């Protein structure tokens, strides 16, 4: 019987194996997020090493006891081509934290606004698109923010994959913060 079938039978179907685990490349660079089950498979096969475990938590099977992983590091370096985040409406909203970049509201329907309007040569780029509520987008209209007497709360930037790893999980474990450049 595979070892993880034993763990699943011991744990049951209460979702403990779906908790998030930070996966680091061999050089400690954040690579991705996986669930506990995938992390345990990597550890069991010797493809990763445990960097941090949840204090006092263990997964038990009939013959094995393993610490509950929080961070794992791959045993070999994985070359990943330059990670570019695709420019899309969903990713612009995610980058801006699902908040209007003019008034800061998050409880309304959001659109994507061109800071420099397309009619004036504004491009579809990370630094020209922001999340905006319908009210602010209509108020700004076909003008620049300064012409509409509106101010951006934050200058838009091109996001990186680490930023999206942070946004992927709602609550970041304290052990993850140094690896996600949050200290």
């Amino acid at each position: 019987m595979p070892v993880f079938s034993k763990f699943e039978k011991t744990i049951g179907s209460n979702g403990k194996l779906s908790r998030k685990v930070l996966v680091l490349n061999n050089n400690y660079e954040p690579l991705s997020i996986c669930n506990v089950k995938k992390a345990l498979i990597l550890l069991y096969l010797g493809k990763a090493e445990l960097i941090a475990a949840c204090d006092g938590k263990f997964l038990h099977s009939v013959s094995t006891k393993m610490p509950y992983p929080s961070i794992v590091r791959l045993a070999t370096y994985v070359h990943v081509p330059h990670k570019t985040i695709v420019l899309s409406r969903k990713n612009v909203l995610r980058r801006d934290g699902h908040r209007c970049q003019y008034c800061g509201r998050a409880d309304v329907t959001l659109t994507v606004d061109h800071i420099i309007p397309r009619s004036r040569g504004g491009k579809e780029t990370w630094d020209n698109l922001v999340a905006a509520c319908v009210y602010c987008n209509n108020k700004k209209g076909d003008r620049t923010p300064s012409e509409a007497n509106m101010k951006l709360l934050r200058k838009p930037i091109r996001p990186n994959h680490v930023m999206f790893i942070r946004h992927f999980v709602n609550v970041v474990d304290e052990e993850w913060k140094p690896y996600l450049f949050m200290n």
Side-chain angles (χ1 to χ4, degrees), residues 50-62:
L50 184 67
I51 299 297
C54 295
D55 289 335
K57 290 186 180 180
F58 293 92
L59 296 167
H60 301 272
S61 76
V62 176

Side-chain angles (χ1 to χ4, degrees), residues 140-173:
K140 182 179 157 287
D142 198 20
R143 301 176 286 175
T144 64
S146 60
E147 291 171 350
N149 205 19
M150 297 171 75
K151 187 173 172 105
L152 283 168
L153 298 176
R154 224 175 33 176
K155 183 181 177 193
I157 59 168
R158 173 184 290 274
N160 59 31
H161 74 284
V162 174
M163 182 185 295
F164 281 144
I165 288 175
R166 283 188 236 155
H167 288 296
F168 181 71
V169 290
N170 294 333
V171 178
V172 176
D173 289 350

Side-chain angles (χ1 to χ4, degrees), residues 25-44:
N25 208 339
N26 186 260
N27 64 354
Y28 291 91
E29 175 187 21
L31 196 59
S32 67
I33 303 284
C34 72
N35 60 30
V36 171
K37 183 177 179 179
K38 175 72 174 177
L40 288 172
I41 291 169
L42 291 170
L43 291 167
Y44 184 76

Side-chain angles (χ1 to χ4, degrees), residues 19-22 52-54 68-71 169-180 182-183:
R19 190 171 188 274
K20 305 295 182 216
V21 177
L22 178 63
C54 295
Y68 200 87
S70 175
I71 303 172
V169 290
N170 294 333
V171 178
V172 176
D173 289 350
E174 283 299 314
E175 296 99 8
W176 294 18
K177 289 184 176 183
Y179 301 103
L180 297 177
M182 295 176 75
N183 282 354

Side-chain angles (χ1 to χ4, degrees), residues 71-87:
I71 303 172
V72 297
R73 181 177 76 111
L74 297 179
T76 58
Y77 181 79
V78 175
H79 177 72
V80 181
H82 180 66
K83 296 177 186 160
T84 58
I85 306 297
V86 176
L87 178 62

